Amino acid sequence: MHRRPFDRNLRWIIGIWLACLFWSAGLLAAENLFPYGVASGDPQTNAVLLWTRVESVQPVVRVRYEVASDPDFRQPVASGEAETGPARDYTLKADVSGLSPATTYYYRWSLEGNKSPVGQTKTLPERTNRFRIAVVSCQHYGAGYYTAYRYIAQDAPDLLVHLGDWIYENPTYGSVVARPDPVGVADDLPSYRAKHRLYRTDPDFQQALRSIPVAAIWDDHEVQNDYSGKGLLFYNPARLRAAYQAYFEYVPIRAQGEFRIFRSLRIGDLCELFLTDGRQYRDEDIWHPAFFPPRDAAAEALAPGRSMLGAVQRKWLLEGLARSRALWKLIGSGDMMMDLRMNGLPISVDQWDGFAWEKEQILGHLAREKIANVLVLSGDTHIFSFGELRFQGKPVAKEAGTAGISSPSARVERSKEIQEANPQIFFTERDHRGYVLLDLSEEAIEVSFYGISTVLEPNGERVLLKRVRIPRS
Ligand SMILES: [Fe+2]
């Protein structure tokens, strides 16, 4: 049969249209292979850990990474391949070494021509007299937007220190709802992974992780509110392991033995940062909820031997503090270390006050060994705080607490009575979420407490709440 020219043209048009459709679908796929962005973490003077997650359904995927000293990758310095698959939820880590100290590097991942966004990172210096650290914690996704991270990226710190509550296992936080969390409660491996993916969709969080190396520790909500590792290992070990596995898959943290996260970062002779794990090895909790325990539970919190860190980590910390030759000793802690008491008894037994004997071991060690210039950095409370740690009435260290990125504050520390009973806490601020910025030098640490005007909607403004200067002693 004779085919009419119109039919032939129509076939051509449909053919070209289909080709365009597949081509544009391919382009779309190319843009979406790395939807969770890129990140870097645990920098050393010659190495840094790179992270991403690739969209795939293959049993094995090999993804290429490139590191360069310029953002256009004209001066490549390292490249390689990392392997992933469903066993690690398609997350990728590459520990790139052979780098130069105090140097900015650019990196990207690629699979079959699809490229990730370009990340920027920086190695630690061998010597320096200036270093800037942004300190964050507590980022409940449903309770607020991560606007603080936009300002952190503008501050261009050398390091982002995350003190825990990177995710929250629960989708809501009281009655505060800024945005929906469709994942629900996380309590097994698929749901913890889904929670990590959800949290990584925030564009400001992605931007900060793309441009600043992070050093992270966990607190409780990466697993379950106020949990103790020893307790959960007995009652629900599967949940504990699932949460820890998902954390290691999604957070750019270097593996150093199964699930060990306590470690130190040395920033020349200027600073050593001791990052602690206050959850995994902690003794069973003694009171729920943790606030205002009755007398006998509060007395138990003071019992000799009661430990948050466990004996191995405590020894590591005490020895590390004593031998460190760095001027400033920073201790990263998920939970507040300063006393917060009424009539001599703890107000919250989930914080360091619930492990008073071990706190005394650490503070007594600072006094006996004459270890000066110690600053504890803490999260968890959802308020800003600044004050000092005392041993037998004498100050041995300072502490700066960050309110966190988005999690609402409990109003418990608001009462005047509690403030008056705790003169070692010089400053608290409960009305803003935000972050703490540290500018370290050989003379002093300048601590800036930055609040965000609102996290209930995007685009809150940054407010400087307070700035304090800690001169070296
Ligand atoms: Fe928190």
Side-chain angles (χ1 to χ4, degrees):
M1 197 180 86
H2 181 70
R3 192 176 284 154
R4 285 182 300 168
F6 177 75
D7 281 356
R8 215 162 50 219
N9 285 345
L10 191 65
R11 276 162 191 251
W12 268 106
I13 289 165
I14 290 171
I16 289 167
W17 179 76
L18 280 174
C20 285
L21 194 71
F22 285 124
W23 181 72
S24 59
L27 272 189
L28 278 178
E31 283 167 13
N32 284 330
L33 276 193
F34 302 94
Y36 304 98
V38 298
S40 68
D42 280 351
Q44 298 177 339
T45 53
N46 65 345
V48 69
L49 192 80
L50 307 181
W51 179 95
T52 195
R53 183 184 185 277
V54 66
E55 291 287 284
S56 177
V57 291
Q58 302 299 321
V60 181
V61 199
R62 297 187 67 80
V63 183
R64 185 173 164 74
Y65 62 87
E66 299 163 88
V67 181
S69 49
D70 66 307
D72 300 321
F73 293 83
R74 293 205 180 94
Q75 294 154 316
V77 295
S79 64
E81 276 191 340
E83 196 176 281
T84 189
R88 45 183 305 157
D89 204 26
Y90 297 98
T91 59
L92 288 138
K93 285 181 180 177
D95 199 352
V96 180
S97 57
L99 304 176
S100 303
T103 306
T104 297
Y105 290 100
Y106 301 86
Y107 63 94
R108 67 186 173 198
W109 298 80
S110 58
L111 177 64
E112 293 156 7
N114 301 280
K115 288 189 171 62
S116 75
V118 174
Q120 182 182 326
T121 190
K122 197 176 179 186
T123 46
L124 296 182
E126 268 176 357
R127 63 188 71 82
T128 185
N129 52 18
R130 287 265 179 279
F131 200 78
R132 171 172 273 193
I133 299 175
V135 183
V136 300
S137 73
C138 297
Q139 49 193 35
H140 193 287
Y141 179 90
Y145 290 86
Y146 297 167
T147 315
Y149 279 120
R150 195 179 312 165
Y151 292 98
I152 290 170
Q154 288 170 17
D155 289 334
D158 300 291
L159 186 68
L160 174 65
V161 171
H162 199 297
L163 297 174
D165 292 356
W166 181 287
I167 60 162
Y168 279 72
E169 80 282 26
N170 290 317
T172 52
Y173 200 107
S175 58
V176 183
V177 181
R179 49 183 171 178
D181 173 344
V183 177
V185 176
D187 57 6
D188 59 9
L189 188 55
S191 53
Y192 281 118
R193 285 169 164 173
K195 196 71 85 170
H196 277 279
R197 289 198 297 275
L198 172 73
Y199 277 51
R200 288 295 255 279
T201 58
D202 185 284
D204 292 321
F205 190 26
Q206 281 202 12
Q207 186 195 350
L209 289 179
R210 191 165 66 234
S211 55
I212 313 160
V214 64
I217 50 173
W218 54 42
D219 190 30
D220 53 339
H221 288 283
E222 284 85 352
V223 183
Q224 187 183 31
N225 183 34
D226 286 355
Y227 82 96
S228 101
K230 279 190 186 168
L232 203 58
L233 192 62
F234 180 77
Y235 296 110
N236 196 344
R239 181 175 188 178
L240 188 72
R241 272 196 285 274
Y244 285 179
Q245 182 181 333
Y247 184 88
F248 268 86
E249 287 170 352
Y250 277 88
V251 179
I253 183 172
R254 189 176 277 114
Q256 30 156 27
E258 200 192 19
F259 300 145
R260 175 178 155 168
I261 65 164
F262 66 87
R263 62 204 187 279
S264 87
L265 275 74
R266 180 77 185 273
I267 298 146
D269 288 336
L270 183 65
C271 172
E272 184 159 359
L273 170 63
F274 296 89
L275 292 167
T276 62
D277 179 349
R279 289 290 162 187
Q280 186 167 191
Y281 318 105
R282 91 162 42 193
D283 287 335
E284 276 209 65
D285 24 359
I286 47 182
W287 186 252
H288 274 298
F291 287 104
F292 297 106
R295 271 200 91 76
D296 55 339
E300 200 183 322
L302 311 178
R306 185 164 166 75
S307 176
M308 179 194 278
L309 301 179
V312 172
Q313 183 179 194
R314 183 170 66 246
K315 185 167 183 285
W316 163 84
L317 179 63
L318 296 183
E319 288 178 357
L321 287 164
R323 61 131 191 88
S324 180
R325 284 182 291 116
L327 167 62
W328 298 104
K329 272 74 68 178
L330 306 184
I331 301 174
S333 168
D335 299 310
M336 187 166 103
M337 196 179 256
M338 284 184 289
D339 287 357
L340 179 64
R341 298 183 183 182
M342 283 293 284
N343 306 316
L345 293 176
I347 289 175
S348 164
V349 288
D350 188 58
Q351 297 173 178
W352 268 102
D353 263 348
F355 305 84
W357 171 84
E358 187 167 61
K359 173 158 68 170
E360 290 296 291
Q361 300 296 304
I362 296 167
L363 301 183
H365 181 72
L366 297 181
R368 278 188 302 276
E369 301 293 323
K370 299 186 171 52
I371 301 168
N373 300 312
V374 177
L375 173 65
V376 174
L377 306 169
S378 62
D380 176 59
T381 58
H382 305 182
I383 65 168
F384 289 105
S385 61
F386 183 74
E388 68 189 14
L389 292 146
R390 296 172 180 171
F391 180 71
Q392 295 175 346
K394 295 201 182 81
V396 291
K398 298 278 194 299
E399 177 167 347
T402 183
I405 295 290
S406 62
S407 305
S409 72
R411 300 274 154 168
V412 68
E413 291 94 347
R414 197 181 264 288
S415 104
K416 211 166 170 51
E417 209 186 359
I418 293 174
Q419 282 180 30
E420 280 167 5
N422 291 280
Q424 70 284 355
I425 304 177
F426 306 150
F427 157 76
T428 58
E429 211 281 355
R430 306 154 188 83
D431 297 330
H432 288 85
R433 320 273 63 80
Y435 63 102
V436 170
L437 194 68
L438 306 177
D439 282 295
L440 294 98
S441 72
E442 287 167 1
E443 296 80 43
I445 303 181
E446 195 178 80
V447 187
S448 304
F449 296 86
Y450 282 116
I452 303 298
S453 59
T454 179
V455 297
L456 296 176
E457 48 193 72
N459 305 320
E461 294 290 323
R462 184 174 78 167
V463 189
L464 177 63
L465 303 169
K466 190 175 183 65
R467 184 168 281 157
V468 294
R469 188 172 184 274
I470 308 171
R472 69 180 285 179
S473 63

